[in-house]
Amino acid sequence: MTKIKTHIPEGPLADKWTKHKADLKVVSPANKRKLDIIVVGTGLAGASAASSFAEMGYNVLNFCYQDSPRRAHSIAAQGGINAAKNYQNDNDSVYRLFYDTIKGGDYRSREANVFRLAEVSGSIIDQSVAQGVPFAREYGGLLANRSFGGVLVSRTFYARGQTGQQLLLGAYGSLNRQVASGQVKMYYRHEMLDLVMIDGKARGIIVRDLATGEIKRFGAHAVVLATGGYGNVFFLSTNAMGSNGSAVWQAYKKGAYMSNPAFVQIHPTCIPVHGDQQSKLTLMSESLRNDGRVWVPKDKDTVEKLRKGTVKASQVPEEDRDYYLERRYPSYGNLVPRDVASRAAKERCDAGFGVNETGKAVFLDFKDAINRLGRHVVEARYGNLFQMYEKITDVNPYEEPMMIYPAIHYTMGGLWVDYNMMTNIPGLYAIGEANFSDHGANRLGASALMQGLADGYFVIPYTIGDYLADEIQVPRIDTNHKAFEETESAIKAKLEKLKNTKGKTPVDYFHKELGRIMWDKVGMSRNEKELKEAVEEIKKLEKEFWADVRIPGDLNELNQEIEKALRLADFFEMGELMALDALERNESCGGHFREESKTEEGEALRDDKNGAYVSAWEYKGEDADPEMNVEKLEFEFVTPTQRSYK
């Protein structure tokens, strides 16, 4: 088992980042011009990192598979971004944000990384305001805040229900400035297919031009992956259909550790599944739980009437409603963390109280908020979300409650990185959702945007210089090197193999089947028997895929089926590793309920003696089992306790 070096500095928690920055090597302005950095991804993490590197004087090559950085999935984030500004004077602080994040992640993340995230959070807001991000404001002009699940203070900054989109436009503006200046070379509709390593260091990538099918080579002194998560392993998730984990997975197969792959976010507030032809799920912002109350009927006769449509939800009397989050968790009520709210919804639906025809939905009701605040206030806070819900469901949420149910959302697992955001491969970095570092077993709401921008604006611009200071004498990377040639040849062989399968079954069939296995057996509730079954079922489905997948069209043209097939080939392998990782973790933690590990009340039971670790899976070859290395989590400044939101 490999010993893992985290490079976390010694000393008091509040001093670690300041001390570390003082100890980092730096690159002079003249030498930055000699160095090239590849950034894969143009979401919040990628766009902020690429623009920051360029502003510093590095030469940046930036890649996105969309036709514009504005289409990165960061735009889908709705509710807000956390920062410890204490604008509400409710006793918020950097330490409280740090503690809430550690606790919300069920004590399965690094203290040093999480404290740094909280420490730079205020700077993110200042940066975004300077870029013109139109955050909501109070009457007196101060930036407004609202509360979010898992916390007792109001620290979430927001731009109505479009926070991710507005923040991305700010980062996109910074990025475009650098594109115009020539410091960033932007490659649209280019997808990374593999990592190129020379003498053990990351030195470039192989990409496919999605418009023409051409395979291209690009070299650099360092490679930064900002490619998001792998939630689409489940097929149905809140992610855009193009979101995928392939760049991360190719890095894993070149030797980068994959950490905590089984840790996936189950979001409690999604529009329920409505049919087997659905391609994705729509997220309704967690901010809605500020004013919305979650309930199901108290008796099953009412449930049956609701399912048959003989009674409307608004007609159910107050005394017949079970506001189960308020009943079970009186301290936090509807603002319990995502994992707690998700499990509670599943428990009610499994008990037969689900309110739609499939039995997999609960109500999110705004009647009280409208009566208390007035419709105009609710409309000002959530108007675009209500409009979106009505467009999708044809139900007016001002008059009838929304229906919601948990769904796969964010992935806390990702590439293992040290304190500098570098993987165990020298010169290869992972930022944002592509790494594992900040959220443990459950991400608190409004923390994804915070991590993406913290990594891109305020962490990696400092830490990458420590590595590049030793690369100044290295000439520009020659893409004719045999490592590029061999990597490109392997990719072309894989493409030809897929194309020549000439099967009868479309890619989406296999993806849906994989998603069914993952949701049923590696989803909200897991047990040893079904996890082992999942591994075997995934292997069997993968063999069927390679024997019978149908890829129409040619390789040397725009061909979305070959794009999907390449990503799905990686999803099979990812799904298997996720199940193996879940098997190794014999505890319930975060959103990951292990049926063999629960309290007498049926709540998740964590095992701090055996479970306080980060898994770091190491690829050992196509026909060999991966090896799990372990990074022990040391808690110097917080004491892990059984979480209670009652």
Side-chain angles (χ1 to χ4, degrees), residues 51 54-56 170-184:
S51 58
E55 188 77 45
M56 296 164 74
Y172 176 63
S174 294
L175 180 60
N176 265 0
R177 178 170 175 269
Q178 298 302 328
V179 171
S181 75
Q183 281 298 117
V184 174

Side-chain angles (χ1 to χ4, degrees), residues 25-37 52-60 183 221 461-462 464-466 468-469 472 476:
K25 287 177 275 192
V26 296
V27 181
S28 74
N31 284 329
K32 286 188 176 100
R33 294 195 291 270
K34 303 174 185 176
L35 295 167
D36 302 326
I37 303 174
S52 296
F53 293 150
E55 188 77 45
M56 296 164 74
Y58 295 109
N59 305 302
V60 181
Q183 281 298 117
H221 295 89
Y462 292 95
I464 202 167
D466 193 59
L468 290 176
I472 295 165
R476 288 226 148 77

Side-chain angles (χ1 to χ4, degrees), residues 3 55 81 96 317 363 389 454 461 537 556 628 646:
K3 183 169 174 57
E55 188 77 45
I81 177 170
R96 193 178 294 278
F363 288 126
Y389 182 87
E537 288 174 27
N556 299 318
M628 190 180 86
K646 295 182 178 182

Side-chain angles (χ1 to χ4, degrees), residues 195-429:
L195 176 72
V196 179
M197 291 174 60
I198 300 174
D199 298 328
K201 294 183 176 182
R203 291 301 194 198
I205 61 174
I206 306 293
V207 304
R208 182 172 181 270
D209 184 328
L210 299 181
T212 66
E214 183 184 355
I215 306 298
K216 300 178 182 179
R217 309 173 183 182
F218 294 91
H221 295 89
V223 176
V224 179
L225 299 184
T227 50
Y230 48 90
N232 275 345
V233 170
F234 290 82
F235 187 71
L236 283 180
S237 79
T238 65
N239 289 272
M241 282 302 290
S243 297
N244 66 86
S246 284
V248 163
W249 195 248
Q250 297 315 317
Y252 162 74
K253 292 179 82 170
K254 283 291 173 75
Y257 297 154
M258 186 75 175
S259 280
N260 298 340
F263 282 172
V264 293
Q265 176 95 80
I266 312 288
H267 199 292
T269 318
C270 296
I271 297 178
V273 175
H274 62 70
D276 59 7
Q277 296 304 306
Q278 201 167 345
S279 62
K280 76 176 295 291
L281 297 172
T282 302
L283 172 71
M284 299 308 298
S285 171
E286 185 174 5
S287 63
L288 294 169
R289 289 199 281 140
N290 276 306
D291 291 308
R293 300 177 73 193
V294 181
W295 65 275
V296 293
K298 288 181 178 177
D299 66 273
K300 292 186 179 177
D301 286 343
T302 306
V303 170
E304 284 304 312
K305 291 174 183 174
L306 287 165
R307 290 180 183 179
K308 290 175 182 175
T310 56
V311 67
K312 289 184 175 182
S314 58
Q315 296 170 331
V316 177
E318 195 69 22
E319 62 270 18
D320 293 339
R321 301 180 178 198
D322 177 15
Y323 294 98
Y324 59 87
L325 290 178
E326 298 169 33
R327 169 173 57 82
R328 290 177 61 177
Y329 310 104
S331 179
Y332 282 70
N334 295 294
L335 287 176
V336 291
R338 291 175 176 179
D339 59 317
V340 177
S342 296
R343 272 201 312 277
K346 183 177 187 295
E347 184 275 328
R348 286 291 78 196
C349 290
D350 289 350
F353 292 92
V355 295
N356 68 350
E357 63 277 5
T358 67
K360 294 188 183 299
V362 299
F363 288 126
L364 180 62
D365 198 330
F366 292 85
K367 179 186 74 172
D368 286 355
I370 291 169
N371 290 340
R372 184 178 78 253
L373 302 168
R375 174 170 167 160
H376 67 288
V377 174
V378 173
E379 198 165 345
R381 290 178 182 175
Y382 312 112
N384 63 307
L385 297 171
F386 277 45
Q387 183 184 44
M388 182 172 74
Y389 182 87
E390 185 171 8
K391 280 187 175 181
I392 292 169
T393 65
D394 199 28
V395 172
N396 183 342
Y398 293 104
E399 297 171 1
E400 292 291 327
M402 293 181 179
M403 282 189 189
I404 57 168
Y405 193 70
I408 297 294
H409 178 49
Y410 185 95
T411 51
M412 281 80 63
L415 290 180
W416 180 90
V417 292
D418 65 11
Y419 192 66
N420 291 330
M421 297 290 153
M422 187 157 73
T423 69
N424 56 299
I425 294 176
L428 178 67
Y429 293 79

